[in-house]
């Protein structure tokens, strides 16, 4: 870039900054309007609580769930355990529960599956689809009925997950706000700057929350952690701007200080945000669409944070500027000369140790025990649903149920398939149309003759013959009508459903007792049919003797699908269930792990290449942060602590994009100081300069992550919080005690791989009143080097590095234009 272009860029930034500062009242009004709108619009946000909704469309789980939504009715269910109750009282309570309106059935008997350790387990099925609010109403009636009992409810009905997370996050937000306030009190230099920073944070957060409804639907994870991460990730922006203002205000009045500070901050903060955004962009390429959901929401949050810093904060500095002048206090952050001295003294040892540790962490992190479901992961905090589930699992054997979906049309194939599955040691039992008992020992798919039907229903044989004749006519089976109706056999479910339709239509008349008996059988069969038989597919419920996750379970799912495919070679076979969910999560993770890791490195590398104009510098910085990522995920491997797979995908992207800012601060300052200082003094001064930024931003991000990990009960959010907190701490340690040594010994590599173009240096010799606005090196009645914004009355002899040097009259004429 030539000197003229540099001057034009600076001039544009000054004009833009001046416009923003002078239009602050209009900007205040716009932000107030946006905040009011956002507080209302946040109630319009639709939250998706099911992670399977973000699986790829071609995944087994998504295909299975789509088929089940179209083909079957899934009634709402709830497992309710009542503790400290005798068996006799438990039986009486069963009858009470069964009579509650909206309850279809109550599973309870004298086996250990339902009564154990003086506790009763009721498997309740409601009359309504699981998405029907009437299920929740009936469940509330059940809870009221059990008010005097010691009971535990485990169910997926309602919005229990969303309600729990919402309450937990609100509590965390209060604590994080307090932590931020304490950190800012410690790291600030004036008390009045704290409200400026807080208002800037809150404005960006509120407007972002209100804009979420534009996304159509967001995940419960994004809805929960975006605001907290927005505060933690974007806090640097406001602090950088505020620090620039305080630096300028040592010489200039408030308005001019804000303008100059903003003109410097816009390009600097924008460049800083690009690494964070780059890491988040990598998430958007995940096959598991939760990455795109979180990536877009966090990028949007950062953009609103930037707008708040660039547009709102200048006006706030104008308002609070005088108060900031009167509320200054001593700097509470100490100088850390000892860190710089240690880094210099250990420059030949630490890098070697780091390389060894880096290789070890890379290898060990590959053995991180990833989990693909909630089983096996202990959360520090447990919600009511988790407590209930644990109580039930402790007293009763848990069952792992999967739904096997096969083409409809062949009851014989289904019956044979169920028989083969039940003979497998991994299968406890199966439930399908072919083995559900209807009455008198017949299953729903058994074929019976008119006489067998009449005997089973206590119906006159002649009436049965008439019914079968009508059935044959409707199905155009005229040969049976002519001479074989007595031997005509029809599946139980089909003839029963047909008989009830005929009776209700008035074509066949029975006495009330027989009609009631038939209706009772009809209702049971109808409920079974809508759950297990669809237009194109049938559903078989298979109860496994295997854990929900694990290689053994995943291998058996493949075996079960292969077995079913043998009976339906030309049709689609699918499996749905928690085990399938986890299997699909594992499959997507195998790809997404590589995509996120590679893309986040490439995107950040490109940003750093343009920032430092050197190939060596970005590689060294990325090596340090990637090392912190490997170390972070080597810890679960060493402690054998299962980690939710999604935590790695999300946190590795955030850690690469956000934590590398700490490395950039150190590298940039060191590079600048090396122009005028020897290595030792430069690294000591660099660490003193970078420490306030790193301790402020890093501590807030680390504490926010730790709080999320300790105060939420959802395993996915807990994993993200814990990994983010630990990873940020590791990154802070590495950039303070490893990166400086790498910069010291890698200086030659950085210089030799630099591709920056040296610009022509304009030498200026002037006398009189001279306006200097730029970086200079020379003498002004004594030597001066630095960024100067002011008027010199005297002689100058300087080299202009950036900016402009003009006579005062020319400068004033340019500004008038």
């Amino acid at each position: 870039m030539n000197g003229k272009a540099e001057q034009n860029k600076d001039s544009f930034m000054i004009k833009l900054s001046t416009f923003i500062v002078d239009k602050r009242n209009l900007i205040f009004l716009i932000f107030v309007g946006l905040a009011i709108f956002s507080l209302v619009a946040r109630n319009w946000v639709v939250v998706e609580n099911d992670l399977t909704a973000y699986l790829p469309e071609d995944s087994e789980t998504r295909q299975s769930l789509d088929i089940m939504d179209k083909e079957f009715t899934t009634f709402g269910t709830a497992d309710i355990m009542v503790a400290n109750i005798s068996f006799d009282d438990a039986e009486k309570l069963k009858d009470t529960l069964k009579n509650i309106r909206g309850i279809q059935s109550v599973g309870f008997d004298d086996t250990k599956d339902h009564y154990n350790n003086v506790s009763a387990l009721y498997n309740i099925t409601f009359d309504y689809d699981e998405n029907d609010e009437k299920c929740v109403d009936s469940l509330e009636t059940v809870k009221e009925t059990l008010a005097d009992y010691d009971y535990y409810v485990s169910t997926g009905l309602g919005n229990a997950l969303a309600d729990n997370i919402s309450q937990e996050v609100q509590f965390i937000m209060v604590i994080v706000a307090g932590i931020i306030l304490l950190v800012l009190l410690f790291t600030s230099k004036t008390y009045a700057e704290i409200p400026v920073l807080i208002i800037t944070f809150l404005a960006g957060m509120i407007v972002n929350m209100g804009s979420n409804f534009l996304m159509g639907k967001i995940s419960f994870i994004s809805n929960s952690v975006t605001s907290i991460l927005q505060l933690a990730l974007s806090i640097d922006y406001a602090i950088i701007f505020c620090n620039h203002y305080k630096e300028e205000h040592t010489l200039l009045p408030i308005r001019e200080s804000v303008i100059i500070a903003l003109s410097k901050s816009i390009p600097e903060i924008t460049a800083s945000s690009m690494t964070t955004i780059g890491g988040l962009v990598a998430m958007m390429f995940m096959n598991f669409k939760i990455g795109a959901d979180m990536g877009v929401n966090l990028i949007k949050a950062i953009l609103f944070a930037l707008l708040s810093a660039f547009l709102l904060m200048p006006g706030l500095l104008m308002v609070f500027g005088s108060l900031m002048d009167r509320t200054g206090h001593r700097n509470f952050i100490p100088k850390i000369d000892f860190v710089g001295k240690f880094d210099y003294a250990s420059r030949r040892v630490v890098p070697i140790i780091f390389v060894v540790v880096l290789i070890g962490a890379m290898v060990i992190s590959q053995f991180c025990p990833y989990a693909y479901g909630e089983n096996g992961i202990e959360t520090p905090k447990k919600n009511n649903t988790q407590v209930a589930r644990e109580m039930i699992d402790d007293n009763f054997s848990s069952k792992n149920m999967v739904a096997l979906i096969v083409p409809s049309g062949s009851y014989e194939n289904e019956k044979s398939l169920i028989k083969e599955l039940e003979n497998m040691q991994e299968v406890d039992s199966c439930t399908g149309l072919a083995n559900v008992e209807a009455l008198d020992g017949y299953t729903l798919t058994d074929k019976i003759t008119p006489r067998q039907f009449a005997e089973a229903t206590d119906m006159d044989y002649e009436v049965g013959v008439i019914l079968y004749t009508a059935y044959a006519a409707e199905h155009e089976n005229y040969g049976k009508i002519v001479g074989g109706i007595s031997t005509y056999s029809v599946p139980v479910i089909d003839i029963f459903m047909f008989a009830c339709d005929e009776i209700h239509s008035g074509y066949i008349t029975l006495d009330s007792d027989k009609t009631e008996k038939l209706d009772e059988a009809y209702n049971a069969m109808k409920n079974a049919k809508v759950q297990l038989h669809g237009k194109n597919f049938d559903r078989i419920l298979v109860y496994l003797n295997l854990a929900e996750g694990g290689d053994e379970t995943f291998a058996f799912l493949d075996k079960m699908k292969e077995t079913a495919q043998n009976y339906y070679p030309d049709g689609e076979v699918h499996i749905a269930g928690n085990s399938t969910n986890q299997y699909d999560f594992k499959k997507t993770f195998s790809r997404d792990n590589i995509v996120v890791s590679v893309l986040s490195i490439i995107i950040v590398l490109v940003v750093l290449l343009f920032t430092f104009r050197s190939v060596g510098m970005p590689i060294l910085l990325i090596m340090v942060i990637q090392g912190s990522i490997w170390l972070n995920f080597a810890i679960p491997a060493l402690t054998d602590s299962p980690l939710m797979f999604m935590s790695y995908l999300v946190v590795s992207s955030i850690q690469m994009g956000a934590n590398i800012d700490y490395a950039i601060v150190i590298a940039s300052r060191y590079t600048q100081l090396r122009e005028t200082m020897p290595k030792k003094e430069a690294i000591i001064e660099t660490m003193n300069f970078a420490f306030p930024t790193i301790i402020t931003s890093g501590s807030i991000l680390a504490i926010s992550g730790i709080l999320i990990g300790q105060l939420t009960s959802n395993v996915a959010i807990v994993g993200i919080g814990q990994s983010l907190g630990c990873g940020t701490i590791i990154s802070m340690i590495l950039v303070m005690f490893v990166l400086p040594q790498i910069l010291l010994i890698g200086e030659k590599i950085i210089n030799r791989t630099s591709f920056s173009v040296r610009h022509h240096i304009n030498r200026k010799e002037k006398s009189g009143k001279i306006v200097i606005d730029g970086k200079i090196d020379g003498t002004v009645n004594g030597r001066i080097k630095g960024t100067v914004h002011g008027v010199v009355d005297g002689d100058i002899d300087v080299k202009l590095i950036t900016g402009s040097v003009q006579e005062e009259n020319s400068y004033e004429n340019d500004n008038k234009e």
Side-chain angles (χ1 to χ4, degrees):
M1 183 182 294
N2 58 37
K4 185 66 176 176
E6 185 77 36
Q7 179 179 335
N8 290 338
K9 184 188 76 171
D10 290 347
S11 177
F12 170 76
M13 283 298 171
I14 292 292
K15 291 178 180 178
L16 175 62
S17 302
T18 302
F19 175 82
I20 293 172
V21 171
D22 291 343
K23 298 296 181 181
R24 58 187 177 277
N25 290 332
L26 175 62
I27 293 173
F28 285 158
L29 183 62
I30 293 173
F31 265 90
V32 169
L34 286 174
I36 294 173
F37 173 79
S38 297
L39 290 174
V40 175
R42 61 177 297 189
N43 298 315
W44 305 342
V45 178
V46 179
V47 180
E48 176 59 68
N49 295 316
D50 186 5
L51 284 179
T52 61
Y54 296 95
L55 282 168
E57 293 297 326
D58 59 351
S59 66
E60 181 70 22
T61 296
R62 279 262 45 92
Q63 292 182 13
S64 301
L65 294 176
D66 290 343
I67 291 173
M68 291 198 297
D69 287 342
K70 295 176 183 177
E71 297 272 332
F72 311 109
T73 297
T74 301
F75 292 114
T77 61
D79 289 339
I80 299 181
M81 176 183 135
V82 178
N84 303 313
I85 186 173
S86 67
F87 181 77
D88 291 339
D89 289 339
E91 279 195 313
K92 294 176 183 178
L93 185 57
K94 172 192 173 182
D95 296 333
T96 302
L97 295 174
K98 193 173 182 180
N99 291 325
I100 293 176
R101 184 178 180 180
I103 290 184
Q104 180 185 131
S105 65
V106 179
F108 179 78
D109 55 35
D110 59 356
T111 65
K112 284 193 173 183
D113 289 338
H114 290 99
Y115 189 80
N116 190 40
N117 295 336
V118 200
S119 299
L121 178 62
Y122 302 99
N123 306 124
I124 295 179
T125 302
F126 297 95
D127 280 327
Y128 319 106
D129 184 275
E130 61 182 354
N131 296 318
D132 195 325
E133 284 298 318
K134 293 179 182 178
C135 283
V136 179
D137 295 337
S138 297
L139 181 59
E140 289 302 317
T141 304
V142 171
K143 291 179 180 179
E144 292 172 5
T145 303
L146 299 175
D148 296 331
Y149 294 87
D150 182 13
Y151 72 94
Y152 302 89
V153 179
S154 176
T155 182
L157 299 176
N159 296 314
L161 173 64
D163 293 341
N164 286 330
I165 294 176
S166 177
Q167 293 173 7
E168 292 167 357
V169 169
Q170 288 176 14
F171 179 64
I172 293 172
M173 284 294 294
V174 172
I175 297 179
V176 169
I179 295 295
I180 290 176
L181 183 60
L182 290 175
V183 171
L184 293 178
L185 281 171
F186 178 74
T187 59
S188 65
K189 293 182 180 179
T190 67
Y191 293 116
E193 73 184 67
I194 295 175
V196 173
L197 298 175
I198 295 294
I199 294 172
T200 302
F201 302 155
L202 289 178
M205 182 185 71
I206 292 171
V207 174
N208 180 62
M209 290 171 61
S211 70
N212 282 339
F213 81 95
L214 297 173
M215 306 295 295
K217 182 182 290 186
I218 66 174
S219 70
F220 70 92
I221 297 177
S222 294
N223 190 54
S224 303
V225 303
T226 296
S227 294
I228 299 174
L229 293 181
Q230 180 185 13
L231 291 179
L233 291 174
S234 63
I235 193 170
D236 283 351
Y237 311 150
I239 292 176
I240 290 172
F241 183 14
C242 190
N243 288 339
H244 277 313
Y245 164 76
K246 288 182 290 186
E247 181 181 1
E248 297 297 332
H249 191 43
T250 58
L251 297 174
L252 299 174
I254 293 175
R255 178 177 176 274
E256 287 71 14
S257 299
V258 176
I259 291 172
I260 298 299
L262 181 59
S263 69
K264 290 182 176 180
S265 298
I266 290 176
E268 181 179 344
I269 293 172
T270 301
S272 175
S273 69
M274 291 305 297
T275 56
T276 305
I277 292 175
L280 296 172
V281 166
M283 292 172 59
M284 298 172 62
F285 290 88
M286 286 168 52
N287 209 26
F288 186 29
K289 298 307 178 185
I290 194 70
D293 177 83
M294 287 202 69
V296 170
N297 277 284
L298 283 171
I299 290 173
K300 179 169 64 70
I302 288 173
L303 293 178
F304 276 116
L306 289 173
L307 287 176
S308 183
F310 294 157
L311 299 179
L312 180 63
M313 190 171 171
L316 294 175
L317 288 172
M318 291 291 295
V319 172
F320 286 88
S322 298
L323 187 59
M324 290 172 63
D325 293 342
R326 300 192 300 270
T327 59
H329 60 76
R330 69 181 181 86
N331 189 0
F332 296 122
I333 300 181
K335 293 288 185 179
I336 55 168
D337 290 357
F338 69 94
V339 173
K341 292 177 180 178
F342 169 81
D343 292 339
Y344 183 79
S346 60
R347 66 191 183 281
R348 302 188 189 281
V349 178
V350 168
I352 298 174
I353 297 174
F354 175 67
V355 170
V356 173
V357 172
L358 184 71
I359 295 173
M362 179 184 66
V363 173
I364 295 173
S365 65
Q366 307 305 311
F367 297 95
C368 181
Y370 295 110
Y372 303 95
E374 296 188 6
N375 291 353
I377 299 181
E378 287 290 328
T379 57
K381 181 178 180 179
K382 291 180 172 45
N383 58 46
N384 293 335
T385 302
Q386 290 171 319
V387 171
R389 189 70 260 168
E390 288 185 2
M391 288 294 294
I392 292 173
D393 289 343
D394 288 344
N395 288 279
F396 301 93
S397 58
S398 58
K399 294 183 179 180
N400 178 18
M401 187 270 286
V402 296
L404 177 61
I405 303 167
V406 297
S408 59
S410 176
Y411 292 146
E412 290 78 10
N413 281 353
E414 184 175 329
K415 189 170 186 176
S416 299
L417 173 58
I418 289 175
K419 184 176 181 180
E420 183 172 350
L421 289 174
E422 289 185 328
N423 287 331
M424 296 180 178
Q425 63 179 7
E426 296 90 350
V427 176
D428 181 59
S429 64
C430 296
T431 300
L433 287 178
N435 72 341
V436 172
E437 185 174 340
L439 71 169
D440 288 352
Y442 295 114
T443 66
L444 291 175
T445 59
D446 284 343
K447 292 184 176 182
I448 58 176
T449 63
R451 183 169 299 281
Q452 291 171 320
F453 177 78
E455 292 173 351
T457 59
D458 196 23
M459 182 185 294
D460 292 337
Y461 173 69
E462 290 75 12
V463 176
V465 171
I466 295 173
L467 183 65
Y468 269 68
T469 302
Y471 182 88
E474 183 169 297
H475 291 79
E476 300 181 355
N477 197 342
Y478 301 112
K480 290 293 183 181
I481 297 176
V482 173
I485 203 69
S486 62
T487 59
Y488 187 25
S489 59
V490 178
V492 171
I493 188 171
D494 294 339
I495 193 63
F496 259 91
M497 302 294 284
F498 180 78
C500 290
D501 289 340
E502 294 295 295
I503 293 170
H504 293 153
S505 300
Y507 297 118
I508 295 178
T509 304
L510 298 176
D511 59 54
S512 59
D513 289 342
K514 293 178 181 179
T515 301
E516 183 178 349
K517 182 178 180 180
L518 204 60
D519 282 343
E520 185 177 340
Y522 172 81
N523 289 330
M525 292 181 190
K526 180 181 178 182
N527 288 334
K529 184 174 182 179
V530 297
Q531 291 184 85
L532 303 173
H533 181 68
K535 182 179 180 181
N536 302 297
F537 293 91
D538 285 349
R539 179 163 60 175
I540 303 171
L541 306 182
V542 184
Y543 296 88
L544 306 179
N545 295 319
L546 300 171
E548 285 189 354
D551 292 339
E552 183 182 4
T553 301
F554 299 152
F556 182 72
L557 292 178
D558 290 335
K559 178 182 177 182
M560 185 166 62
K561 187 173 183 178
E562 183 181 345
T563 301
Q565 201 73 64
N566 293 333
Y567 289 92
Y568 304 92
D570 299 323
E572 294 182 42
V573 173
H574 299 282
I575 303 176
N578 289 338
S579 292
T580 311
N581 299 348
Q582 295 189 34
Y583 196 11
D584 280 335
F585 287 150
K586 182 179 181 180
K587 291 176 182 177
T588 59
F589 177 66
S590 299
R591 171 191 178 276
D592 291 341
N593 185 12
I594 298 174
V595 170
V596 169
S597 299
V598 173
L599 276 181
S600 61
I601 290 175
I602 291 175
I603 294 173
V604 173
L605 179 63
V606 171
V607 173
L608 295 180
L609 279 173
F610 285 98
T611 301
F612 290 100
R613 299 186 181 185
S614 166
V615 176
M617 180 70 85
I619 292 175
L620 294 178
L621 299 187
I622 287 176
M623 182 175 67
V624 172
I625 300 303
Q626 185 61 50
S628 72
I629 294 173
W630 284 330
L631 282 170
N632 189 18
F633 294 102
I635 294 175
L638 292 172
T639 59
D640 195 26
S641 303
L643 177 71
M644 191 67 171
F645 76 102
M646 195 170 57
S647 303
Y648 175 84
L649 297 173
V650 174
V651 174
S652 60
S653 297
I654 295 176
Q655 197 172 343
M656 175 58 72
N659 291 172
I660 203 165
D661 282 349
Y662 312 151
I664 292 174
V665 170
I666 292 175
S668 299
R669 188 65 171 183
Y670 176 74
T671 303
Q672 181 182 4
L673 292 177
R674 279 291 289 132
E675 295 178 5
T676 58
M677 294 183 183
K679 287 184 177 182
K680 184 174 182 180
E681 287 75 7
I683 203 65
I684 292 173
E685 182 60 31
T686 294
M687 300 316 296
N688 281 326
F689 169 82
F691 182 62
T693 300
I694 295 173
I695 196 66
T696 302
S697 176
S699 61
I700 290 176
L701 184 57
I703 292 171
S704 297
I706 291 170
L707 288 174
I708 291 172
Q710 293 298 316
L711 299 177
T712 50
S713 56
N714 181 271
V715 294
I717 299 176
V718 165
I720 292 173
Q722 291 176 339
S723 299
L724 185 61
C726 181
T728 301
I729 292 173
I730 293 173
S731 297
M732 292 169 64
I733 293 173
L734 292 186
V735 298
M736 294 288 289
F737 296 100
V738 174
L739 177 62
Q741 291 89 324
I742 291 177
L743 292 176
L744 286 166
I745 66 169
E747 193 172 287
K748 289 183 179 180
I749 297 175
I750 296 170
N751 292 333
R752 289 176 180 175
T753 58
S754 173
F755 56 86
S756 61
V757 179
R758 294 187 176 275
H759 306 306
H760 173 68
I761 301 297
N762 293 318
R763 192 168 193 89
K764 302 292 183 179
E765 295 186 28
K766 294 181 180 292
S767 299
K769 290 188 176 181
I770 308 300
V771 178
I772 301 177
D773 183 9
K775 188 175 182 180
I776 64 173
D777 182 8
T779 59
V780 182
N781 286 334
R783 190 165 185 81
I784 181 172
K785 181 177 182 181
T787 302
V788 177
H789 301 283
V791 178
V792 174
D793 187 0
D795 300 328
I796 68 168
D797 178 10
V798 300
K799 290 183 293 183
L800 178 65
I801 299 173
T802 63
S804 64
V805 173
Q806 305 176 63
E807 293 183 358
E808 186 177 38
N809 291 337
S810 300
Y811 177 79
E812 291 176 351
N813 290 335
D814 286 348
N815 279 327
K816 288 178 181 179
E817 294 173 3

